[in-house]
Amino acid sequence: MEGPQKKRLVQIARAPEAENVEEEHEAQPIAPGPLAMKMRRTVTLVACDGCRQKRIKCDGKRPQCGQCARKGQDCVYQAGEGETVFFTVRKKLNALESDNMRYKELFRLLRTRPETEANEILRRLRIAEEPLAALEAIEHAGLLKEPSFSENVRDNRLLTLDQEALEFSVIKVPAMPWTVVADNGLISELITDYFTWDNTYLFPSVDRDMFVDEMTKCDISTAKWCSPLLVNSMCARRSQILERARVFCAVKQQNVTQRFLDEAKSLLDLEQGRASIPTVQALMLMYMTTTCLGSDRAGRIYRNHALEMVTRLKIEARYTSLLEDGHDDPKERELLSKALWGLFIFESRSAFLYFQPSQIPIPKIPNPFAANMNEAAWHRPRSNVDVLDRPFEESPCRIPIVPEINAATCSLAELFYEIMLHNTNEETVCGSDDDLRIRKSFYLKLRRMVDTWPKRFYVENNFAPGTHYLRMQENEVGFGIIQTLRHGTLFETPASQPGTTIGDLCLHHCASDANTIDAYLSRWPFDTLIWRHLFFSMQPLVLMFDDPAACDIFANDCMMLRYGCHTFRICGYLLQATQAFAWTINQTIPDSARPYFEGWTKEETEVEEFPVSFALPQQDDVLVRNWEGHQSVEANLGALIKSWALDSEQ
C-alpha cells in the first residue's frame, strides 16, 4: 500500500506595495447607499415613555425630548440620565430584594425576641411612618444587641444598683414601654430627681401628677401629657448629675446620658415633626442637656424647633376655646397654663444667654403658679414640702421644696422680659438720660418686688435650693438692668445709697451670687443654674481687677466653675471665654485665680470651631474693639475664644 500522501504547500503571492495599490486603484467615493445611511444614524440610549408607547423615534433629550416638546406634553423617562432601562430595572430589583430581606429580619425579630422587646418593636412600628425606619431606630438604640458573657457578669451589679435606686425613689414608675436604656430602678430615680429639681424651679412646665399617672398606666396610645420622647429627655437631663447614674455608666461601660439622648433623637425622628406639648418640653430638655455637654450650637436646633412648635400649637387659643365651646375642662386648662408659663420661665432665662428677650412672650392666660395668691395667702405661714407635696422631714436623701415660690419666679421672668425688650430695642441709646431713667425704674421695681416676698422665700430664713435659685435669679435680673452701662455711671435710686455707681451695684450682685452659690454647693450638687450664674457674675468682675475685693470674688467664682467641669463640659468653655474676655480688654487674670484655669489655657486649647454660641459679654470694649473690621465673623462666645486661642502673643 502506498503511504499517506504529503500535502503540497501552495506558495502565497507577495502582497503588492501600498503605493502601487494607490497608483493602480484611485480611491472612489462610496455612494450614499442604505448601509451608509444606517451607519450615520444617531443611536438613542433610552427613549422616553411617550415615544416608546407610540413607537416613534425619540432623540432622548432631557428634560424634554423633541417629540414631546413639539406636542407640548410631559416627557418622562424610566431610566436616569446616562443609564439604560435594564440597569434601572436591575437597580430597582436590588433595592426591593434588600427591603425584602429587611422585612424578613423584622419578622424574625418579632418572633424570636423576648416579649418585652417584641412589644417595644410593635410600639415603634405603630408610631413610625415607615417600618424600616423603625427598625433602624431600634438598632440604633441598641435594643437588639446580644449581651456578651462579660455583660452578663455585670448584670448582677446592675440588678443590685437598680434595686437600690428603686428603693430610694419616692416616685416609682416603669421603664417599659417608655425607654429601653435602663430598668425600673434607675428610671424611677431619674424621674424623681427631675421632679425634685428641674420641675420645681428651672423648668416647671410638666404636671407631675398627670405625667406619673400616665407613665404608670404604660399605655402610650392614650397618653397625652407623657411620651417616650419626654421620658428619655428627662432621664438624659438628670443622668448628667445623679451620682447613681454615673455608677451605672461605670458598670455598663457606656455613657448613659448619651444613650438616653440618642434614644430621644431616634424617637424625635419617628415623630416626623408632629407638634405636641410633651414634644416641646422634650426639645427644651434636649437643648439644656446638649448645652451642658458643651455644644449649645447644636442644642439651639432643638430650642428653635420647640419655639416653632409652640407657635403652631397655639396654646392660648386652645385654653380660650375650652371656655367658649361649652365643654370646659378645668384640669386641662390648668395643664395648658402650667405648660405655657413653665416654658416662658425657662425660655426667658435661656434667651438671656444670647442677649435676647424670651421668644415666648408673656402668656395672656392665667398664671397657675399665682392662682388665688392674695395678700393674705401670700404671707400665710407655710412649711417646706417634699417632691410629693408632703410635709418635709429633714433627711440626707430628701430635698426641701418651697411652696408657691414659682409665683415669684414668674414675676421676675415678666420683669426680665420687659428689661430685655428695652435692651434690644434699636431706639434705645445706652447711657442716655432717657435710658438711665427707664433702667432706674426697672431697678426700683425689682427692689420693691423682692421686698414684698414672704419670709420663706429668703435664703436667710429658709435654707432650700429654691430660695438659693430665687436669689440668683434676682441677681440675674439686676445684671440685665445694669450690664451694658459703664461702671463709673452714677445710678442713684430710692433703693440705693447716694453716689452709687454701676460698678458698686455690679460688685454687690457679684458678691451676692458668689455667697449664694458657695452656700448652695456646701450641701447640694452642681447644676445648670450654677454655671450660668457664675459666668454672668464673672463678666463684670473682669473689668474690676484693680479692686482687691473684686479679685477675691473672681477667684472664688473660678474655683467653683472649675469644680463644675467634672459634671458639665460647658464650664471649661466658659473658663476659656473668661480668659478671652480679659485678653480682649487687656486685663491680666489675677494670680489667685490662675490655678483654676489649668487645662483650659490658651496653650492647651485646640483651635477648632467652638460649639458655643452664647452672646458676647455686653461691654463696648468687646463688642467694638475686638470685632472692628471683622463683620464677617459671627460675634459670639465661640468666635471670641477662637480669636484668643489663635493670638500669638502670650
Side-chain angles (χ1 to χ4, degrees):
M1 293 181 62
E2 297 182 1
Q5 296 182 354
K6 294 182 179 180
K7 291 185 179 180
R8 185 178 179 183
L9 299 178
V10 180
Q11 186 175 3
I12 300 175
R14 183 181 178 185
E17 298 293 337
E19 56 267 23
N20 295 336
V21 174
E22 291 179 359
E23 290 176 0
E24 295 177 5
H25 304 282
E26 293 184 2
Q28 299 294 329
I30 300 175
L35 181 61
M37 294 293 290
K38 186 178 292 186
M39 291 173 63
R40 286 201 296 267
R41 287 179 59 186
T42 301
V43 178
T44 301
L45 188 63
V46 178
C48 73
D49 291 355
C51 293
R52 286 167 60 87
Q53 291 173 2
K54 296 175 182 177
R55 295 182 177 276
I56 59 177
K57 178 177 173 57
C58 181
D59 57 18
K61 291 183 178 180
R62 295 174 186 257
Q64 193 174 37
C65 73
Q67 295 280 9
C68 293
R70 284 192 295 273
K71 296 177 182 179
Q73 62 188 24
D74 294 337
C75 189
V76 180
Y77 287 88
Q78 284 188 15
E81 190 168 1
E83 297 178 352
T84 64
V85 175
F86 175 80
F87 178 81
T88 301
V89 172
R90 169 56 63 183
K91 188 167 65 172
K92 290 181 179 178
L93 178 61
N94 291 339
L96 289 172
E97 289 176 347
S98 176
D99 286 351
N100 186 42
M101 293 295 293
R102 298 285 285 164
Y103 282 119
K104 287 182 178 180
E105 172 66 10
L106 187 59
F107 179 67
R108 184 190 69 80
L109 293 171
L110 287 170
R111 291 180 60 247
T112 60
R113 301 302 289 186
E115 185 175 356
T116 55
E117 293 187 8
N119 288 335
E120 174 64 14
I121 294 171
L122 282 172
R123 182 187 70 77
R124 296 193 181 211
L125 285 172
R126 294 184 65 176
I127 64 175
E129 295 289 337
E130 294 290 339
L132 295 184
L135 179 60
E136 290 178 4
I138 293 166
E139 292 172 337
H140 181 68
L143 175 63
L144 308 178
K145 181 182 176 183
E146 296 290 345
S148 64
F149 174 76
S150 59
E151 288 174 331
N152 287 326
V153 172
R154 289 198 298 268
D155 279 349
N156 291 330
R157 292 182 60 191
L158 290 175
L159 287 173
T160 302
L161 284 169
D162 199 68
Q163 185 60 37
E164 291 173 353
L166 190 62
E167 293 173 358
F168 180 85
S169 303
V170 176
I171 299 174
K172 293 178 172 55
V173 289
M176 296 293 287
W178 308 100
T179 180
V180 298
V181 177
D183 292 327
N184 296 347
L186 182 60
I187 299 302
S188 294
E189 188 169 9
L190 288 169
I191 296 299
T192 299
D193 207 50
Y194 172 80
F195 283 105
T196 300
W197 296 96
D198 290 339
N199 204 65
T200 56
Y201 196 88
L202 176 61
F203 189 51
S205 179
V206 182
D207 186 86
R208 181 200 63 219
D209 293 340
M210 183 61 71
F211 177 91
V212 172
D213 180 63
E214 290 188 347
M215 190 172 179
T216 305
K217 290 179 179 177
C218 301
D219 189 350
I220 295 175
S221 61
T222 61
K224 186 177 179 181
W225 304 96
C226 174
S227 72
L229 174 59
L230 181 54
V231 170
N232 281 277
S233 300
M234 287 178 173
C235 292
R237 159 69 184 150
R238 293 313 304 178
S239 62
Q240 293 178 291
I241 305 162
L242 186 67
E243 183 61 32
R244 205 182 315 271
R246 298 181 185 180
V247 179
F248 267 76
C249 290
V251 175
K252 294 194 73 172
Q253 298 180 4
Q254 292 179 348
N255 186 330
V256 177
T257 298
Q258 194 60 52
R259 283 288 310 279
F260 280 120
L261 197 56
D262 289 342
E263 177 74 352
K265 292 176 183 178
S266 298
L267 292 166
L268 181 63
D269 290 340
L270 291 175
E271 292 201 357
Q272 300 290 317
R274 290 188 292 268
S276 69
I277 288 177
T279 300
V280 171
Q281 294 164 336
L283 285 166
M284 285 299 195
L285 290 171
M286 291 170 72
Y287 158 72
M288 194 190 316
T289 302
T290 308
T291 299
C292 290
L293 290 173
S295 182
D296 85 290
R297 188 185 297 275
R300 287 180 73 177
I301 297 173
Y302 302 124
R303 173 173 170 254
N304 293 338
H305 193 180
L307 294 173
E308 182 270 332
M309 276 193 181
V310 170
T311 303
R312 276 197 283 148
L313 286 170
K314 299 179 180 179
I315 298 175
E316 290 177 335
R318 287 173 59 183
Y319 182 97
T320 305
S321 66
L322 288 172
L323 294 172
E324 296 175 348
D325 63 6
H327 300 285
D328 185 21
D329 185 344
K331 182 60 179 178
E332 184 165 359
R333 282 194 289 111
E334 178 188 347
L335 295 172
L336 290 171
S337 180
K338 181 178 288 187
L340 185 57
W341 274 93
L343 288 166
F344 168 69
I345 290 171
F346 178 74
E347 168 59 15
S348 68
R349 311 193 78 174
S350 299
F352 190 49
L353 290 167
Y354 311 99
F355 202 69
Q356 299 171 345
S358 168
Q359 302 303 294
I360 299 175
I362 299 174
K364 298 177 182 178
I365 55 180
N367 183 348
F369 304 111
N372 303 318
M373 292 297 291
N374 53 37
E375 186 70 19
W378 184 255
H379 289 279
R380 72 180 184 274
R382 287 208 60 183
S383 300
N384 293 335
V385 297
D386 67 5
V387 68
L388 296 180
D389 294 331
R390 302 172 303 192
F392 175 73
E393 296 180 1
E394 193 67 41
S395 169
C397 57
R398 295 289 180 263
I399 305 299
I401 296 172
V402 184
E404 300 162 350
I405 198 169
N406 279 320
T409 305
C410 289
S411 298
L412 287 173
E414 291 179 81
L415 176 59
F416 206 17
Y417 181 75
E418 296 176 17
I419 292 166
M420 292 308 298
L421 285 179
H422 174 75
N423 282 337
T424 55
N425 190 332
E426 293 181 355
E427 297 181 359
T428 297
V429 180
C430 186
S432 65
D433 291 342
D434 190 50
D435 176 56
L436 288 175
R437 177 184 57 79
I438 294 173
R439 292 180 189 275
K440 288 177 182 179
S441 68
F442 282 143
Y443 199 82
L444 187 59
K445 187 175 182 180
L446 171 64
R447 300 271 36 100
R448 288 174 176 170
M449 181 187 298
V450 173
D451 290 342
T452 63
W453 291 344
K455 291 183 178 180
R456 65 179 182 275
F457 288 0
Y458 291 94
V459 68
E460 294 83 1
N461 301 320
N462 186 4
F463 199 86
T467 56
H468 288 75
Y469 293 153
L470 190 64
R471 176 65 55 81
M472 287 185 268
Q473 187 179 4
E474 172 196 337
N475 290 323
E476 183 175 342
V477 175
F479 284 133
I481 297 171
I482 63 178
Q483 182 182 30
T484 57
L485 299 174
R486 295 284 182 176
H487 282 194
T489 305
L490 278 175
F491 200 81
E492 297 176 336
T493 70
S496 62
Q497 297 294 326
T500 298
T501 65
I502 292 297
D504 296 331
L505 290 176
C506 282
L507 197 60
H508 164 74
H509 287 291
C510 290
S512 174
D513 257 350
N515 293 332
T516 303
I517 294 171
D518 195 21
Y520 175 94
L521 292 177
S522 68
R523 185 174 298 187
W524 298 299
F526 200 98
D527 208 339
T528 302
L529 287 173
I530 305 301
W531 62 254
R532 55 175 286 122
H533 284 285
L534 285 172
F535 183 60
F536 290 142
S537 176
M538 291 163 69
Q539 291 179 24
L541 292 172
V542 173
L543 300 171
M544 297 187 283
F545 283 163
D546 56 341
D547 185 340
C551 290
D552 290 342
I553 298 172
F554 180 80
N556 192 36
D557 285 351
C558 291
M559 177 190 67
M560 292 186 286
L561 191 60
R562 178 56 188 264
Y563 172 71
C565 291
H566 299 292
T567 306
F568 301 121
R569 183 170 180 79
I570 188 66
C571 295
Y573 289 136
L574 296 182
L575 286 172
Q576 291 177 326
T578 303
Q579 295 171 88
F581 181 30
W583 160 77
T584 306
I585 58 176
N586 297 320
Q587 289 279 42
T588 302
I589 299 294
D591 292 338
S592 57
R594 284 185 178 276
Y596 307 117
F597 292 95
E598 184 178 347
W600 297 96
T601 61
K602 181 186 299 186
E603 296 81 3
E604 297 160 301
T605 300
E606 295 182 5
V607 179
E608 55 185 17
E609 188 67 26
F610 284 89
V612 184
S613 61
F614 297 156
L616 291 170
Q618 298 300 304
Q619 307 293 337
D620 289 343
D621 289 315
V622 173
L623 296 178
V624 177
R625 288 181 52 203
N626 193 60
W627 299 104
E628 187 174 1
H630 295 82
Q631 287 80 4
S632 61
V633 179
E634 186 180 1
N636 60 40
L637 217 56
L640 178 65
I641 297 172
K642 188 172 184 179
S643 295
W644 162 73
L646 288 171
D647 181 61
S648 59
E649 297 180 7
Q650 300 299 322

